[in-house]
Amino acid sequence: MTFDPSTLFAVFFYGFAGLLVISALRVITARNPVHAALFLVLAFFCASGLWMLLKAEFLSLALILVYVGAVMVLFLFVVMMLDLDLEHLRRDFKKFLPVAFLMGAVIVLELSIVIIRSFIGTNAPVQPMPEEVMANNTQALGMLIFGEYVYAFEVAGVILLVAIIAAVALTLRNRKDSKSQNIHEQVNVVAADRMRIVKMGSDMAAKQDARGEKK
């Protein structure tokens, strides 16, 4: 009896794919937000397994380390610490259902256009890479990101930086327990508003000096 590696590959591939679809559906259908976050972690693990089977080791490990190890754990702790009003969310679920269906249809349409244009009617040749680079997908990915797509990568980094600064600014806006500078007021400051000259007699000054020495 001979062992066929393609059969084992197919078993793992369809197993990860089926579990990914089920966990993704449970993310949007689970009533408890904590359970939804845990199903999202499971979906990330399944997607990582699929990428590992497709020999994209860097993307697979990055998905586990970045999303599962950092983002999702932080999100899970935030969800567990927040006192969410589940009854209010369930009561308003039907009100936002048409908007959700509309956004879902737009996303499906966009993905369909991308997939159709990627596999149908495309005759552009693929630029081959050296064999020593193709043997290491991490090196090949690095050469593409920091070579051919370096400007797009830098623009994405600037956009993410602006988003982080905007999120921090919106969080600290109009809070009484946070200190911030008003640049407009600092630039338009007038000396008369900040300093006042008071004329005092010699007797009054001597009395205040004596009071200061007693203290």
Side-chain angles (χ1 to χ4, degrees), residues 6-195:
S6 61
T7 304
L8 184 61
F9 177 86
V11 170
F12 277 102
F13 181 84
Y14 287 109
F16 280 127
L19 191 57
L20 175 60
V21 173
I22 295 174
S23 57
L25 290 175
R26 289 297 298 160
V27 169
I28 61 176
T29 57
R31 294 181 177 272
N32 194 329
V34 178
H35 294 168
L38 292 176
F39 278 114
L40 187 57
V41 172
L42 179 60
F44 284 153
F45 271 113
C46 295
S48 177
L50 289 176
W51 280 346
M52 187 66 71
L53 291 175
L54 297 176
K55 298 181 181 181
E57 296 88 358
F58 178 81
L59 294 178
S60 176
L61 296 178
L63 181 62
I64 293 179
L65 295 177
V66 177
Y67 286 92
V68 178
V71 177
M72 276 310 305
V73 173
L74 179 62
F75 178 72
L76 184 60
F77 275 103
V78 170
V79 170
M80 294 176 64
M81 288 187 295
L82 290 178
D83 187 13
L84 298 176
D85 189 4
L86 298 180
E87 296 296 331
H88 178 71
L89 295 177
R90 294 170 185 171
R91 184 174 62 251
D92 296 338
F93 176 76
K94 294 182 180 179
K95 183 172 65 175
F96 298 104
L97 196 59
V99 180
F101 275 120
L102 178 61
M103 296 300 296
V106 171
I107 293 174
V108 171
L109 181 61
E110 291 178 351
L111 292 176
S112 301
I113 294 174
V114 172
I115 294 174
I116 292 173
R117 294 190 62 182
S118 299
F119 292 96
I120 299 176
T122 302
N123 297 322
V126 178
Q127 297 180 358
M129 287 188 174
E131 295 183 358
E132 61 272 10
V133 176
M134 293 299 297
N136 188 350
N137 62 78
T138 304
Q139 183 180 359
L141 183 62
M143 291 184 64
L144 285 176
I145 291 179
F146 298 105
E148 184 177 355
Y149 300 102
V150 62
Y151 295 109
F153 183 76
E154 294 296 334
V155 169
V158 172
I159 293 175
L160 290 176
L161 178 62
V162 172
I164 293 174
I165 296 174
V168 174
L170 291 175
T171 304
L172 298 178
R173 186 179 59 178
N174 297 328
R175 288 183 55 180
K176 297 181 179 179
D177 57 343
S178 64
K179 296 181 180 180
S180 60
Q181 294 180 337
N182 192 332
I183 307 301
H184 179 72
E185 293 182 357
Q186 291 177 350
V187 173
N188 297 324
V189 65
V190 180
D193 297 336
R194 298 296 181 92
M195 183 176 62

